[in-house]
Amino acid sequence: MAAGEGHERRTSRRAASRPRSGVRSAGSAMRSAAEQLAQLLGRPPDSVSSLKPTEDGWEAQVEVVELERIPDTASVMASYRVALDEEGELISYERTRRYSRGTIDRPS
């Protein structure tokens, strides 16, 4: 193996594991997912709870207030799975969970 071959393999593997064009940073993917979902739902996102690169782009979990209540711990929240393509365009979304804001996840 030539001196540069091992480095080239590591570089190409790393490059293959993240989007190749369009949205290149986690920060811009996160903003893109939140902004586009807000446009579709007509509600601002509360937070992005997870973000990961995929073969086709990015996948995020975005938390949204669906029904505001007083106190705010009684507000109804929803978690949406959002898929973005390599250019950062939203290609799908689905609500995966509804819960009260004050609910704490417990291990099952």
Side-chain angles (χ1 to χ4, degrees):
M1 179 183 306
E5 279 184 45
H7 176 69
E8 287 174 18
R9 285 188 184 149
R10 284 190 303 272
T11 303
S12 64
R13 254 186 264 149
R14 252 183 286 152
S17 69
R18 64 175 179 250
R20 292 160 290 291
S21 63
V23 176
R24 293 183 183 247
S25 73
S28 57
M30 188 170 64
R31 282 187 297 279
S32 184
E35 289 168 3
Q36 291 180 72
L37 185 63
Q39 289 174 358
L40 290 171
L41 298 178
R43 297 182 196 100
D46 192 63
S47 64
V48 176
S49 57
S50 74
L51 178 72
K52 65 180 177 181
T54 65
E55 285 185 21
D56 301 321
W58 296 88
E59 183 177 288
Q61 285 286 83
V62 181
E63 310 304 314
V64 176
V65 178
E66 290 211 328
L67 180 60
E68 289 191 53
R69 294 195 174 147
I70 298 175
D72 70 347
T73 55
S75 293
V76 177
M77 303 291 295
S79 183
Y80 287 86
R81 180 181 305 123
V82 177
L84 303 175
D85 66 13
E86 291 179 351
E87 300 300 318
E89 294 298 315
L90 189 145
I91 54 174
S92 70
Y93 75 97
E94 72 175 304
R95 184 173 60 198
T96 57
R97 180 173 174 234
R98 287 185 82 183
Y99 59 97
S100 296
R101 183 185 290 250
T103 303
I104 297 172
D105 286 340
R106 299 182 196 284
S108 37

